[in-house]
Amino acid sequence: MTVSLKKILTLSAIGLSLSAFAQAKTELTMYYPVSVGGALTKVVDSMVADFEKQNPDVDVNAIYAGNYNDARVKALAALNSGKPAQLSVMFSIDVHELMDLDAIVPFDEVVSTEADRTWLKSFYPALMENGVVKGKTYGIPFQRSTIVMYYNKDLFRAAGLDPQKAPSSWDELVNMGKKLTKTDSNGHTNQWGVMIPSTGYPYWMFGAMTKQKGMKLMNQEGNKTYFDDQNAIAALNFWKDLGQTHQIMPKGMIEWGTLRQNFLEQKTAMMWHSTGNLTAVKNNAKFDFGVAMLPAEKEFGSPTGGGNFYLFKNSTAEEKQAALKLVKFMTSPKQAAKWSIETGYMGVSQASYKTPELADYVQTFPPAAVARDQLKFATAELSTHQSGRVRKLLDDAIQAVLNDQETAEGALTKAQKQADRILSRYR
Amino acid sequence: MIKSHKTQAWLLLTPALILLFTFTYLPIATTFVRSLFGYGVQMGSQASSENYVRLIEDEVFWQVLKNSLWYALVTVPVSIVLALSMAMWVNSKLAGKSVLRLSFFTPTILPMISVANIWLLFYSPEIGLFNNVLEQFGLSGINWLGNPDTALPSLMAMTIWKEAGFFMIFYLAALQTLSPDLYNAAKTENASPLYMFRRITFPLLMPTTLFVFVNALLNSFKLVDHLFILTKGGPNNATNLLLYYIYENAFSFFDTAYASSLTVILLGLLILMALIQFGIIERRVHYH
């Protein structure tokens, strides 16, 4: 009798301590987007599983939430509903709006040790441009990219071009593009020189061309845009001319989502796309392909792109520390290297390219380093207050011009006027 | 005695009333209030017509409204006519009609998102099915979704394909309830098939037509899932529809106030259409 009583007591004691242990577990909810297709969710899941193995006291629900827009909608909806996420990967350019909504805290307020403060500075500076506002770090780079030029070496050879030499200037792009465009006797083009996507993220592609023209589309405070600058107008005319005048690119819209397939089916000899597509192209291309930096006009250039980690304000100090631990893990050199190899997104820090894994990979597969090398010439992605609306103004203007509904000057002047109206109250 | 009946009735109605109130009337009221008081995601203390003034000045809004009306004007009648013809066809005695019925119905079973993903590949200019077919005839391809002139009609075609099969089911069910006696009688009078359709089938199907019409019209305003996959409202708003524009404003631009005023407009449109449908058309419908 006494024995069994003792047993019961011991058992219940164990039970109590177990449940206490379970309660001590910090639960984190994190939303993240995927914008380029492929099995990226599996990669995130396995990284999160590794983190949980190392940190048994933290439980992470990583939820795939669609594209960048969807991820933001879901994270903010969760925030409003009282079952908030503690951190999320969201568009790097959402930073001004998330601050305006008072949804996020800077990492500077969460880090405590000197080591952590050094960690904040361990990333490529170009990747921090969209994450630092007024000296404080709100976004830590994770799935980051630049636009790169994929080109089909087999088609280059067939056209009598040097397969090791991708066009490095706008003029070369046009000249080579003409050689690479193949039209049959009916006047039907079955192979194009180049395709630049004009749906999905047209403002992003445009940001590359304006950078190549030596200008920026907005100021660092995100309250002024320069859409009607002469260089911007010239850049948009160049984009339009690729289709209308030079006829090395299809006229009208080129779909972001199906462009990779076009390239893989050799309908275009070159495409501009996110480096986040690299591993998918590598796995599926049945031809010899290369990756190059985007061609230069006045200078080389591409905007950075992609998603940053954000910490949400509405969480306990304990949760914030756990979230910080997760962000540090996910962006650590080793994990960043794994992420880069499996997706094509770039390693976010210099240290990640020094890991044996990524160093070897880059050695055997040089295209993996192009996005990184291009960082020297990179600029911030278009990011302002009321980003979504301002972005759409520019997107609509670009599409109107490419579809020959308006002139570049007219459309961009109108977009600038409307952007001014929206942004004037943030000055 | 009467009083207790009344109490009982109210008690029975309560759950439905609570649901209606919480999920329908209350949101409508808050939307209306927000459209007057709100700016951005915040609420002001003073009512103003600012959001509605903006709406009138907003070129995109007018384009979106025009798109939505065209979209309804084309997809609703075409899918109804198609549904009726398909139903009459698979209702007749012909071999393999169950296979045919199934194949007409298949688009309905598929979720809109998957349908859109399939059609995205059909429409794709270089690698898509439609342009490959055109090429076989020596025609040059069309940039279906990329050209502002063809983008909206392309969306309409897909919607009709998706919707017609669903409405066919209702017509088919209705056709099978029609008494063969009427047709036998008509036959003894040597009535032509067209005459039979005009004087027997069509009038007797009117209740179904009304039902289908109401649903088709509502769907044409409510269904925007495919926009997320196919065009995102582009190029240059050529395919932007009212509900999608509301979504964009509320969730991409964080402008719930403006989205609310757009919602009020959408609601007004739907109420107006409901009034027309039930007030005018229903008088011409004979139930039997």
Side-chain angles (χ1 to χ4, degrees), chain A residues 281-298:
Chain A
V281 170
K282 178 179 179 237
N283 291 341
N284 295 303
K286 294 185 182 67
F287 50 84
D288 191 11
F289 78 97
V291 175
M293 283 198 264
L294 297 181
E297 170 71 350
K298 286 180 188 160

Side-chain angles (χ1 to χ4, degrees), chain B residues 185-252:
Chain B
K187 262 182 211 149
T188 56
E189 303 276 337
N190 268 334
S192 71
L194 194 69
Y195 191 78
M196 280 196 266
F197 174 78
R198 202 154 58 83
R199 303 306 292 254
I200 304 174
T201 317
F202 191 68
L204 288 176
L205 285 178
M206 264 321 260
T208 313
T209 305
L210 177 69
F211 172 81
V212 166
F213 179 65
V214 171
N215 272 290
L217 200 59
L218 286 179
N219 273 355
S220 76
F221 282 90
K222 279 191 332 200
L223 259 184
V224 292
D225 309 18
H226 47 313
L227 288 186
F228 288 86
I229 307 292
L230 290 176
T231 61
K232 303 224 169 17
N236 191 20
N237 296 306
T239 60
N240 207 340
L241 300 177
L242 197 45
L243 190 57
Y244 187 79
Y245 193 49
I246 292 174
Y247 168 87
E248 271 192 324
N249 274 284
F251 298 110
S252 299

Side-chain angles (χ1 to χ4, degrees), chain A residues 67 69-70 72-73 76 97 101 188-189 192 195 250-253 255 258 261-262 265 267 388-389 392 396 399-400 403 405-406 414 421, chain B residues 41 54 57 59 120-121 124 126-127 135 140-141 143 146-148 230 232 234-237 240 245 247-249 251-255 258:
Chain A
N67 63 22
N69 232 348
D70 305 334
R72 178 181 56 199
V73 169
L76 291 175
E97 289 198 279
L101 291 170
H188 176 76
T189 306
W192 293 99
M195 288 192 191
K251 287 183 194 128
M253 299 289 94
E255 168 61 36
T258 51
Q261 200 58 31
N262 272 313
E265 296 197 11
K267 296 289 181 190
R389 205 181 273 288
K392 186 173 163 62
D396 286 352
Q399 294 189 337
N403 277 311
Q405 294 173 303
E406 283 175 68
K414 195 175 89 186
R421 213 159 71 176
Chain B
V41 287
R54 249 174 85 192
E57 290 168 355
E59 279 170 42
L120 182 62
L121 288 174
S124 174
E126 312 297 324
I127 48 180
E135 256 172 58
S140 63
N143 193 350
N147 185 324
L230 290 176
K232 303 224 169 17
N236 191 20
N237 296 306
N240 207 340
Y245 193 49
Y247 168 87
E248 271 192 324
N249 274 284
F251 298 110
S252 299
F253 309 159
F254 298 113
D255 196 343
Y258 191 56

Side-chain angles (χ1 to χ4, degrees), chain A residues 125-137:
Chain A
L127 297 180
M128 302 305 286
E129 274 188 49
N130 281 119
V132 177
V133 180
K134 289 180 189 146
K136 293 208 166 151
T137 307

